[in-house]
């Protein structure tokens, strides 16, 4: 079945079964491999994308529900790493292995849209992605730094 998805501001056609997770439509059908597969049960957050302004775990979001919404992936946040979060992530050396980081950045971007000056508690609540390397202190620091830069 064919679906028209608005991904990173562009309408794209995906031919997939209606129940296909958005994650696989993005990766396998559209070649947007920045969104990662982690657990497949919407717990780890590696597959986080922005759907109409909300951080959403794409591994459990069916492609049929993705028509008519705006989807932003890590590639659409800043294709060349120009988004303030991407810059801060690099400057502050946040990732260790980096596998979870695209989902982490997408969750952080959604948080900063809703709460421009988050507390550590806000970050812990909204950016609940799993990082096997344990970079949580650097993630918090980077989000606070990005919030400062976005405010200026």
């Amino acid at each position: 079945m064919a679906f028209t998805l608005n991904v990173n501001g562009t309408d794209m056609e995906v031919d997939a079964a209606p129940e296909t997770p958005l994650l696989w439509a993005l990766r396998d059908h559209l070649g947007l491999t920045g969104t990662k597969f982690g657990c497949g049960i919407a717990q780890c957050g590696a597959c986080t994308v922005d759907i109409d302004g909300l951080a959403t775990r794409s591994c459990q979001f069916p492609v049929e529900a993705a028509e008519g919404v705006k989807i932003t992936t890590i590639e659409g946040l800043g294709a060349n790493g120009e988004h303030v979060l991407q810059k801060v992530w690099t400057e502050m050396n946040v990732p260790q292995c980096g596998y979870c980081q695209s989902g982490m950045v997408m969750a952080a971007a959604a948080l900063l849209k809703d709460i421009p000056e988050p507390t550590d508690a806000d970050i812990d609540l909204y950016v609940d992605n799993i990082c096997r390397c344990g970079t949580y202190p650097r993630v918090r620091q980077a989000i606070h730094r990005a919030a400062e830069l976005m405010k200026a």
Side-chain angles (χ1 to χ4, degrees):
M1 185 168 217
F3 297 94
T4 302
L5 307 181
N6 184 284
V7 181
N8 302 326
T10 302
D11 285 341
M12 301 180 179
E13 291 292 321
V14 172
D15 188 16
E19 67 277 2
T20 300
L22 177 60
L23 168 67
W24 299 119
L26 294 170
R27 290 182 59 81
D28 294 347
H29 296 268
L30 300 177
L32 298 170
T33 58
T35 305
K36 305 298 185 202
F37 172 78
C39 66
I41 58 171
Q43 296 299 304
C44 74
C47 67
T48 302
V49 298
D50 183 294
I51 297 180
D52 284 343
L54 299 173
T56 304
R57 309 278 166 95
S58 64
C59 71
Q60 290 292 304
F61 195 89
V63 72
E64 69 181 340
E67 277 197 314
V69 299
K70 291 179 133 186
I71 303 160
T72 305
T73 67
I74 191 72
E75 293 92 346
L77 188 67
N80 297 311
E82 71 272 2
H83 188 278
V84 66
L85 278 166
Q86 293 168 310
K87 288 179 181 178
V88 168
W89 238 249
T90 301
E91 290 168 9
M92 297 182 75
N93 199 28
V94 173
Q96 189 166 326
C97 82
Y99 194 82
C100 67
Q101 296 302 307
S102 62
M104 204 71 88
V105 168
M106 294 306 294
L111 165 66
L112 290 174
K113 276 188 213 169
D114 290 342
I115 305 173
E117 296 181 50
T119 63
D120 282 346
D122 293 329
I123 294 168
D124 293 346
L125 182 63
Y126 288 92
V127 186
D128 63 348
N129 304 46
I130 295 172
C131 173
R132 296 183 86 183
C133 300
T135 64
Y136 303 112
R138 292 189 305 228
V139 166
R140 275 190 216 101
Q141 292 169 351
I143 292 171
H144 287 303
R145 180 69 181 134
E148 290 171 9
L149 292 170
M150 292 169 84
K151 190 167 80 170

